[in-house]
């Protein structure tokens, strides 16, 4: 496990270097094409997401604030240029649920549940049933951790119903 932590620390250092490079690239952005700017924004967001994941992964509570800042930065970038991300996943919902994960680890359940509600609404707006199902499961786990068992049960029932619907859709 010590080796794993050292590897994560090295990865964090590399991603932080990349982030510094991205910030430098922004200073020359007036001279770049729209495609190049879009590529920089996409890389910036990927770096933020990876750093957030790594900060949470090392499990140090003092790093959770950094993780949230990275996810918030990624969310800002996504809102700035949603067309830069040609991803299948619902990126806004994904970022919000990642931020919620940080709050869950800190046992700040009301903040986590608020973000998950926002993520779920976004997934509902885009009719993304796979993401809806994942968010419902995360929401259910957060409610269990918060000892809100009846609410958790209702959320898990919704997740199961949606999962059955998805399995039926995917098997056709």
């Amino acid at each position: 496990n010590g080796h794993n932590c050292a590897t994560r620390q090295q990865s964090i250092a590399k991603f932080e270097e990349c982030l510094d490079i991205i910030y430098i690239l922004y200073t020359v952005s007036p001279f770049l094409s729209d495609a190049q700017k879009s590529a920089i924004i996409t890389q910036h967001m990927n770096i933020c997401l990876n750093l957030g994941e790594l900060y949470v992964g090392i499990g140090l509570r003092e790093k959770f604030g950094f993780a949230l800042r990275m996810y918030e930065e990624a969310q800002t970038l996504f809102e700035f240029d949603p067309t830069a991300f040609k991803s299948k996943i619902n990126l806004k919902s994904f970022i919000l649920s990642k931020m919620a994960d940080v709050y869950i680890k800190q046992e700040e359940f009301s903040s986590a549940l608020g973000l998950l509600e926002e993520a779920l609404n976004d997934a509902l707006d885009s009719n993304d049933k796979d993401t809806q199902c994942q968010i419902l499961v995360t929401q259910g786990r957060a409610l269990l951790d918060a000892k809100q068992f009846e609410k958790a049960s209702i959320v898990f029932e919704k997740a199961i119903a949606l999962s059955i619907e998805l399995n039926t859709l995917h098997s056709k």
Side-chain angles (χ1 to χ4, degrees), residues 71-159:
Y71 290 135
E72 285 164 358
E73 196 166 324
Q75 187 178 13
T76 303
L77 289 164
F78 176 71
E79 287 166 0
F80 173 72
D81 187 3
T83 59
F85 313 108
K86 296 162 185 62
S87 159
K88 281 189 189 274
I89 61 166
N90 184 326
L91 216 42
K92 184 177 180 195
S93 294
F94 176 76
I95 295 167
L96 289 168
S97 64
K98 287 292 185 189
M99 290 167 72
D101 287 343
V102 178
Y103 283 120
I104 291 167
K105 282 190 168 63
Q106 292 179 302
E107 298 183 0
E108 293 177 24
F109 300 113
S110 62
S111 296
L113 291 166
L115 286 170
L116 289 167
E117 198 60 41
E118 191 181 338
L120 187 60
N121 288 335
D122 195 66
L124 285 166
D125 289 347
S126 61
N127 200 26
D128 181 348
K129 292 186 185 306
D130 286 303
T131 301
Q132 289 170 35
C133 196
Q134 289 169 346
I135 292 167
L136 284 168
V137 170
T138 304
Q139 212 173 26
R141 286 188 183 138
L143 287 164
L144 280 179
D145 290 346
K147 310 230 181 312
Q148 296 180 27
F149 303 115
E150 286 174 26
K151 285 183 182 175
S153 175
I154 293 165
V155 170
F156 281 129
E157 283 174 21
K158 286 181 190 173

